[in-house]
């Protein structure tokens, strides 16, 4: 992604995941919004977008954060939401034996008291591989990787989901299923 695309991706993340009301946008409960409406609302708030730019950002986005509907009319963020407007009905999915969570050392005391909690987002995000988890954790400080006993959790009745971009989602992870690598 070039610099312009990164700026657009950040803007789209903000309005499609967190603060749609900041530009007068209404998302449906699955997170979708009409692309024409998005372009109009963005323009009213000084952000010039057009369909081709949006399509390019969706196609080239490094983490495949967004999806365009089959009829090409609507767009949504595939995961990462905090807005209460959205509650995506993710399918349940059987996880691999192990998943990973990248975080920062300064969160560890709290994590080992409470377990992993979703915080402002709707889900705790887990990664299928350690290198992705490292990148996620580095955003917060000195990185530490937690190994999560996903299969065991699944056997114990925890529900796992996977967003279209591969990110694993779960509501929480109790302390007994994690250890530091
Ligand atoms: C931590 C990015 C204290 C948790 C990434 C994390 C990801 C606790 C932070 C996606 C805690 C939340 C999500 C507890 C969890 N006490 N801290 N009990 N439980 N935490 O950004 O997982 O670029 O909301 O470890 O790639 O870092 O936005 O979640 O460090 O996929 O597309 O609280 O965001 O994707 O931070 O990242 P975040 P995350 P995008």
């Amino acid at each position: 992604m070039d610099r312009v695309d990164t700026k657009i991706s950040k803007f789209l993340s903000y309005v499609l995941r967190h603060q749609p009301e900041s530009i007068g946008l209404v998302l449906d409960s699955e997170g979708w919004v009409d692309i024409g409406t998005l372009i109009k609302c963005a323009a009213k708030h000084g952000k010039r977008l057009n369909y081709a730019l949006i399509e390019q950002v969706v196609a080239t986005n490094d983490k495949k954060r967004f999806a365009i509907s089959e009829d090409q009319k609507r767009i949504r963020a595939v995961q990462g939401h905090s807005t209460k407007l959205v509650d995506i009905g993710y399918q349940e999915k059987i996880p691999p034996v192990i998943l990973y969570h990248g975080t920062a050392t300064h969160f560890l005391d709290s994590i080992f008291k409470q377990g992993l909690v979703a915080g402002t987002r709707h889900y705790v995000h887990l990664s299928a591989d350690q290198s992705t988890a490292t990148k996620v954790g580095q955003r917060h400080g000195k990185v530490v990787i937690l190994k999560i006993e996903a299969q065991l959790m699944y056997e114990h009745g925890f529900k796992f989901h996977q967003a279209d971009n591969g990110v694993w989602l779960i509501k929480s992870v109790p302390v007994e299923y994690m250890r530091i690598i």
Side-chain angles (χ1 to χ4, degrees):
M1 287 198 300
D2 67 16
R3 229 166 55 87
V4 175
D5 287 3
T6 301
K7 275 180 87 172
I8 294 172
S9 171
K10 288 196 170 164
F11 173 76
L12 292 178
S13 287
Y14 185 68
V15 298
L16 297 178
R17 288 171 166 177
H18 306 302
Q19 299 283 338
E21 60 280 5
S22 67
I23 59 164
L25 208 58
V26 179
L27 310 179
D28 74 13
S29 65
E30 289 291 315
W32 294 109
V33 66
D34 179 78
I35 295 174
T37 308
L38 167 65
I39 291 169
K40 273 190 208 134
C41 287
K44 274 190 202 149
H45 290 78
K47 188 88 186 168
R48 287 164 66 109
L49 296 175
N50 59 52
Y51 192 92
L53 261 179
I54 291 174
E55 204 176 25
Q56 176 180 315
V57 169
V58 173
T60 59
N61 193 256
D62 54 353
K63 291 187 185 167
K64 301 272 173 241
R65 292 177 178 90
F66 315 105
I68 289 179
S69 59
E70 271 177 28
D71 64 6
Q72 312 289 306
K73 289 186 176 145
R74 295 174 304 154
I75 184 171
R76 73 172 174 182
V78 299
Q79 43 73 221
H81 298 82
S82 65
T83 172
K84 300 259 185 314
L85 290 176
V86 175
D87 183 13
I88 296 183
Y90 293 108
Q91 298 289 313
E92 262 189 71
K93 194 161 173 190
I94 301 176
V97 178
I98 298 294
L99 284 168
Y100 301 93
H101 180 81
T103 187
T105 48
H106 61 95
F107 289 140
L108 283 178
D109 281 353
S110 170
I111 288 174
F112 277 90
K113 276 193 197 111
Q114 299 179 350
L116 287 172
V117 295
T120 56
R121 299 195 201 243
H122 298 170
Y123 293 92
V124 171
H125 291 218
L126 302 176
S127 310
D129 60 87
Q130 291 191 49
S131 70
T132 306
T134 302
K135 285 184 205 138
V136 174
Q138 275 167 347
R139 295 156 46 248
H140 299 290
K142 190 169 176 334
V143 67
V144 51
I145 306 292
L146 301 174
K147 186 173 172 182
I148 311 293
E149 296 287 346
Q151 187 179 55
L152 193 61
M153 289 185 74
Y154 176 76
E155 286 166 8
H156 291 177
F158 287 86
K159 292 188 169 71
F160 287 80
H161 313 279
Q162 193 176 28
D164 290 347
N165 63 353
V167 173
W168 285 89
L169 305 169
I170 189 164
K171 283 290 179 192
S172 62
V173 180
V175 176
E176 57 266 36
Y177 298 106
M178 63 175 86
R179 66 183 170 81
I180 297 173
I181 292 186

